[in-house]
Amino acid sequence: MRLLRYTGLAVVIVAVLVAGAWFWLLHTTPGARWILAQAEQAAGLTVASVEGNVGEGLRLGRVHYVNETVSVSVASLEARIDIDVAPFSIEV
């Protein structure tokens, strides 16, 4: 009986942590900055300024992307991304 109680408690704690991380990533500016920092490291992307959040809309300033064949620079970029969990979909 104790094992079942502790297992249930662990499941609830993990669910709360996942929900909190999901909210932080999608609905805060620091979460959006963290996502962009991961993109910068992975893809050679640089972004000078970030305003807003992923859930309500992002405003990015001086975006640069460079690889072996392409170089793209954008002075200002606004994006709204709609992410649905059930069924999972992403609309840009």
Side-chain angles (χ1 to χ4, degrees):
M1 189 66 164
R2 251 188 198 173
L3 179 62
L4 184 59
R5 189 176 310 160
Y6 288 134
T7 303
L9 180 61
V11 168
V12 169
I13 289 171
V14 168
V16 167
L17 289 173
V18 168
W22 183 263
F23 180 84
W24 180 76
L25 284 171
L26 298 182
H27 298 287
T28 67
T29 301
R33 287 187 178 131
W34 186 86
I35 291 170
L36 287 170
Q38 304 314 304
E40 286 176 338
Q41 290 177 357
L45 179 72
T46 59
V47 179
S49 65
V50 179
E51 295 178 16
N53 60 62
V54 175
E56 296 172 2
L58 281 174
R59 287 167 301 288
L60 308 176
R62 294 187 308 258
V63 179
H64 301 285
Y65 174 75
V66 178
N67 70 14
E68 296 82 26
T69 58
V70 176
S71 176
V72 178
S73 294
V74 178
S76 178
L77 177 67
E78 291 191 30
R80 174 146 168 76
I81 303 170
D82 185 18
I83 301 174
D84 294 323
V85 177
F88 184 74
S89 66
I90 298 175
E91 295 179 25
V92 179

